[in-house]
Amino acid sequence: MSNERIPFRETLIYPIIFMIILSIIFVGVLALMYHATKEKVETYKEESYQKIVLDLCAPSIATATGLNEADIISAFPQSYNEYIKQASLKGEDRPSFAVSIDDSVIVRVVDIPGKGLWDKMRALVAVSPDLSQIRKLAIYEQMETPGLGARISEPWFQEQFQDLQVIAEGKFVTLELISEKQERKDGQINKVTGATISSGAVISMLKDSLQKLFEQNTLGAMP
Amino acid sequence: MTKKEIFVVSAFKDNSVWRQILGICSTLAVTNLMLNSLIMGLGVIFALALSTFTISLIREYTPRSVRMMAQTLIIGAYVIIVDILLKAWLPDVSKQLGPYVGLIITNCILMGRAEAFAAQNKPLDSMIDGIGAGVGYTLVLLVISFIRELLGFGTLFGVRVMGEGWINWSIMVMAPSAFFILALMIWAINTYYYKEAK
């Protein structure tokens, strides 16, 4: 009776072999798919990043060259390669960009980190060559609450920072948050309703990073 | 049961959300915009159809002791495939959905259908059952998000439908509204749709 053969399907080893084979098949398929699409995904990521940078620089390029802003944007990637060069500033954690026309810098784009309500966020900011004025802002990475804090990505909110002098007499100016519906005066920013923390986080991000970059790069060089 | 009956039972009569109260977490989480709900629904239908089909296909060879492990592995693999495909070919949609796609793995409906139906039935029937459950789930999501987006944003699928004077109900954007809309919906369905059964 001890000689009775147990069918393979009922042995202890069968479930183990079954799971190993199943795992190899599925993980293999996933790995293949991941590999096949990796390049496409990376290219897309890089391109969308470059498009944001170009979009931020476009108004300044348009003013300096007399070209049409929309034409510059639609001429991606040629226009990107033509105007935008990687630059470096002291105290930055990701490379910045600069646009030079006739050997003088007309606009810089810095990539700055910040802390939102739930997670880190990042923004690309077009600034004047002396880093004292925001030309245009794009928050390109954030994990705020959808429908509330995430609305900091909406154009109307970010447009409030357009052409805003943020550093005066070496100090970051005070920006006051007011409610969304209120009429905005100088030095005031309409916050997103129900997202005071996220709105404030954007201002803190700009303040901390731009103040630091300004101090490390411009102050010493100023007469 | 005919194929049509399988679909009707799984999509409406034994609807996963309102009858079995499964998949509630995502029902509450993604229903503040109709577009998110629709894409989430399509993702779930796709993952359900393929995973129930595969699980049913190998049901004869799956040892009972590890069947749940195998089901989770299969479901996880298909969901990641959806994620990879979206990232590569529909990057904008993928960005919109963020972490939601990955969360399909933990949707109880998938495990529920795998255990309750696919593990005992033929592959094609299982697939129809899976699609039915997915359609039923999507339907609930769309109804809830219709109410939430309309009142919370004044829009439908991002298109403005409420007039200029419309004041958004912030509560509709936040989680509590999903709880009470879902509760009201289940109450209404229990009262009217399942009337004869009582």
Side-chain angles (χ1 to χ4, degrees), chain B residues 161-191:
Chain B
V161 285
M162 289 302 206
E164 270 305 302
W166 176 254
I167 294 166
N168 292 342
W169 301 14
S170 288
I171 181 105
M172 284 297 171
V173 177
M174 293 184 278
S177 67
F179 280 92
F180 65 70
I181 296 172
L182 179 66
L184 286 172
M185 193 176 164
I186 293 174
W187 166 72
I189 287 166
N190 269 329
T191 313

Side-chain angles (χ1 to χ4, degrees), chain A residues 9 14-16 18-19 22-23 26-27 29-30 33-34 37 40-41 44 48 52 140 143 146-148 151 154 193, chain B residues 32 54 58 60-63 65-66 69-70 73-74 77-78 80-81 84-85 87-89 91-92 100 153 173-174:
Chain A
R9 294 273 292 275
Y14 177 70
I16 300 174
F18 176 83
M19 274 315 286
L22 199 67
S23 306
F26 277 93
V27 175
V29 169
L30 281 185
M33 285 192 72
Y34 177 77
T37 56
K40 214 173 152 81
V41 174
Y44 170 78
S48 48
I52 299 172
Y140 72 92
M143 287 293 222
L148 294 169
R151 291 180 56 216
E154 287 181 3
T193 303
Chain B
N32 58 7
T54 314
I58 60 164
E60 306 275 336
Y61 311 97
T62 315
S65 53
V66 294
M69 237 157 88
L73 176 78
I74 293 167
Y78 280 120
I80 302 296
I81 287 174
I84 291 176
L85 291 178
K87 271 202 184 111
W89 278 279
D92 294 321
Y100 292 142
F153 294 95
V173 177
M174 293 184 278

Side-chain angles (χ1 to χ4, degrees), chain B residues 17-97:
Chain B
V17 184
W18 72 60
R19 195 62 167 167
Q20 304 173 25
I21 320 290
L22 290 176
I24 298 299
C25 329
S26 54
T27 307
L28 301 175
V30 302
T31 48
N32 58 7
L33 290 173
M34 285 195 85
L35 187 67
N36 288 353
S37 302
L38 182 67
I39 297 170
M40 182 72 174
L42 291 177
V44 168
I45 293 173
F46 181 83
L48 254 171
L50 290 177
S51 61
T52 48
F53 182 80
T54 314
I55 288 164
S56 165
L57 207 61
I58 60 164
R59 70 188 190 283
E60 306 275 336
Y61 311 97
T62 315
R64 271 198 73 75
S65 53
V66 294
R67 69 181 195 289
M68 283 202 157
M69 237 157 88
Q71 288 162 2
T72 317
L73 176 78
I74 293 167
I75 291 168
Y78 280 120
V79 172
I80 302 296
I81 287 174
V82 174
D83 195 35
I84 291 176
L85 291 178
L86 283 179
K87 271 202 184 111
W89 278 279
L90 294 167
D92 294 321
V93 174
S94 162
K95 217 168 156 188
Q96 273 259 320
L97 283 179

Side-chain angles (χ1 to χ4, degrees), chain A residues 121 137 139 152 157 161 198-207:
Chain A
M121 50 187 191
L137 166 72
I139 297 162
I152 56 171
F157 182 76
F161 295 92
S198 301
S199 308
V202 175
I203 294 181
S204 311
M205 167 172 74
L206 292 170
K207 183 178 173 183

